[in-house]
Amino acid sequence: MRTLYSDHKTYGISVKTDNPHVTAKEFQEAMLSCKYSAGKGIIPRVEWKKLTTRDVSFVYYKGDLVGDLKGRAEMIDSSIRIRNVTRKDSARYRCEVSAPTERGQNLAETIITLTVLVASAAPSCEVPSSAMSGTVVQLSCKENEGSPASEYKWYRNGVALLENTGTGSAKRGNISYTMNKKTGTLLFNTVSKKDTGEYYCEASNGIGLPQKCSVKRMQVDDLNISGIIAAVVVVALVMALCGLGVFYAQKKGYFSSKKKSSDYKYTPSEKDFKHTKSFVI
């Protein structure tokens, strides 16, 4: 015998549902149950609304299905059967029953939560192609389609890696990485040459088959100490030669600026000649 859940009872009107939490796989069918009872002589009005974080919209209004459900749902008494549900149908739905009474317009309602289950999609993986031993390296794996959220598992050379959160027996087993199945991260605090291999990640949420990303190789090499020393020596020699070149240029005066000065002597012209003698007629 099914248990009916009642949210409200108002002046002779009561509304019930036999399942306040409905789950259905994507592209299958879902039933949103709403049952009411009213006093003798009361003619109720039934409306359905979809409640999201953004807004409230009608689903059943004035005797007709409207919005996204029009054409792929049907009314069975005051309940709604949705065919071919999609992830966009996941929401809270409110069945409202109202009727005029001696005390005015009265309303009773019940809320049903619909969760559409969606299989995991192929995840996106980020694996560095090369790394130096002793460094910190993180591999990431993520997919955003699955509902409920996916969990992740990493493989190296086709073998599943043990989950390790950094504590417990996995840590005592001398495992060099930390793997989080919730976030999909694989973290090497000190990667080594033995971590070289081909990696891929698998995402699964229990709906449909697990999905995996393409295989990617990570090559870990030791630090080339002799090469680093040689590079440092070459850089030091280049800097020394540059310094000698600058010193030589300064010695020769290539960087000094000479100001050329010339003595200028004023020579009066005929135009500048002034008469200094007086003439007597």
Side-chain angles (χ1 to χ4, degrees), residues 3 34 41 43 63 69 86 99 108 121 171 174 224 232 252:
T3 301
C34 179
I43 302 176
L69 296 187
T86 69
K171 186 176 181 180
N174 197 29
N224 189 346
V232 170
K252 292 294 185 180

Side-chain angles (χ1 to χ4, degrees), residues 127-145:
V127 179
S129 58
S130 62
M132 289 295 181
S133 61
T135 60
V136 177
V137 176
Q138 178 173 295
L139 284 64
S140 62
C141 178
K142 192 67 176 176
E143 75 86 25
N144 297 312
E145 298 294 324

